[in-house]
Amino acid sequence: MPVTRPGPVLAVMSAAVVAAIALVAAVNLALPTLAASGLHPSPSQLVWIVDSYVLVFACLLIPAGAAGDRFGRKGVLLAGLGVFAAGCLAAALASDVAVLIAARALSGAGAAMIMPASLALSVHAYPPERRGHAVAVWTAATGVAGVAGNVGGGLIMQFLPWQALFAVMVPIAAVLAVLAARLAPRVTRHEAALDLLGAALLTAASFALVGGIIEGPEAGWTSPGVLAAFAGALLLFAWFAVHQTRTALPLLDPRLFRAAGLRAGILGVAVTFFGMFALFFVNARYLQEVKGFSPLLTGLAILPMTVPMIVLSRMSGRLPRMPAVAAGLAGNVAGLVLLSFADAAMPYPVYAAGLVVMGAAMGLCLPVLSHEIMAALPSERAGLGSGLNSAARELGSAVGVAVMGTVAAASGTGAAYLVVAAVVLVGGAVSLGWLASRAARPRSGDPVGQYS
């Protein structure tokens, strides 16, 4: 049943999401400081500091969503906030790069528990006719979180050492846990698959793929280690797919992807965050090292993304679905192409125009795409739906960071932006095609047709 006062529940759930995602963006502000610190990380280790969090985050989202359905979404949320805080504390105390990367991975596991539970609890708090509003607000929070991470990270890095970036998240997580314990409703549990082998295969395959991308520039693309990573990724993904078709309780039933709306939403969300976090990875270093901005000014310089993102996210539910998604995906490509010309001579207002375009694009398409994912599944599978939604975001983010870092190291940032834009263009076109087919031919019995 919906709760009497859903607004405070949605506010706390949105704040938890902001904390989890902001840490992805905020760490980018610390990269110049970390590169010059006593830890002496290599270029590939800098990428791993970002991606160890994001990869674990992404790969555990679906089993975390299933765990919420099976054991209770409120309990999983509270446990996730605790694991998140423990990882942040370990990162703040890290004395070498390996410990920092491992601590970041632990925080990512906590974030994975937070994300699907927060969306499922937000949706549950509202009556059916207002659940689109809950999804739109939660989605806007995930977009604004990236900007909040940049601004908050810049403020911390301006006045405090890099360790404070992680330490400050510990009390924040504790406060959110107290509020969630008081406000979040308890939701009826449902039988859900906990496919531990599937989760392990997906995680190992993702780490192998991204590891090959990250290590390629330093080790050489034809080096045995890199080739083994790509081969391992291929075999592990194949094993995962076969396992999902044969197990009685799959982590991710392949038959779900018969729904065109689900495919469109997952791919569209993934390529949108692929572009956004590729931008965030190079933004801080460009503004600090090329333009000479301070960390605080670097964080504030991302603010032009915020207003159009918030305004258009709130309006997107009243806009025609197909034009909103098409304009959003095209805007992402246009913004990336404009930013590919960024150099020391580019005036900041021109750079900010690219940020405005990308912020507006995300506000237009993300709520619609997220709603397509949730609408493709029945309400008792809300945990799985929110897990898929969040996994698409984080996997897209992780691969975007890896591709941007790899191409930038080999060919320069301008070329990296164009490669990222090309990926967003192709993926966006496929997503839009699936969305169009879903609108044109809803089938009787298709979950999309039932739950749109």
Side-chain angles (χ1 to χ4, degrees), residues 185-245:
R186 292 197 176 276
V187 182
T188 302
R189 301 178 185 184
H190 302 280
E191 188 62 31
L194 285 180
D195 181 9
L196 299 181
L197 175 58
L201 290 172
L202 180 61
T203 302
S206 300
F207 266 88
L209 173 63
V210 173
I213 296 172
I214 292 173
E215 300 297 333
E218 289 189 19
W221 292 106
T222 59
S223 66
V226 171
L227 292 177
F230 287 132
L234 182 62
L235 291 173
L236 288 165
F237 277 124
W239 186 4
F240 173 76
V242 171
H243 172 68
Q244 295 304 287
T245 62

Side-chain angles (χ1 to χ4, degrees), residues 18 21-22 24-26 141-151 276-277 280 302 309:
V18 169
I21 297 181
V24 182
T142 65
V144 172
V147 179
N150 276 277
V151 175
M276 180 181 181
F277 278 84
F280 285 163
I302 204 74
M309 188 186 300

Side-chain angles (χ1 to χ4, degrees), residues 306-316 318 363:
T306 309
V307 174
M309 188 186 300
I310 293 173
V311 171
L312 291 174
S313 289
R314 296 184 69 86
M315 292 175 56
S316 64
R318 300 191 295 271

Side-chain angles (χ1 to χ4, degrees), residues 275 277-287 289-290 335-344 346 351 400-401 403-422:
F277 278 84
L279 159 67
F280 285 163
F281 183 72
V282 296
N283 172 72
R285 302 197 75 172
Y286 165 73
L287 291 176
E289 297 175 359
V290 178
L336 290 164
V337 171
L338 176 59
L339 293 172
S340 72
F341 294 99
D343 57 16
M346 176 179 277
Y351 185 81
V401 167
V403 170
M404 176 62 86
T406 296
V407 180
S411 304
T413 303
Y417 267 118
L418 293 177
V419 169
V420 171

Side-chain angles (χ1 to χ4, degrees), residues 127-181:
E129 66 273 11
R130 296 207 63 206
R131 286 175 179 170
H133 164 74
V135 173
V137 172
W138 186 92
T139 301
T142 65
V144 172
V147 179
N150 276 277
V151 175
L155 183 63
I156 292 170
M157 295 308 304
Q158 180 72 34
F159 301 107
L160 298 171
W162 64 263
Q163 290 89 342
L165 191 65
F166 306 109
V168 73
M169 302 306 295
V170 177
I172 290 174
V175 171
L176 288 171
V178 171
L179 292 173

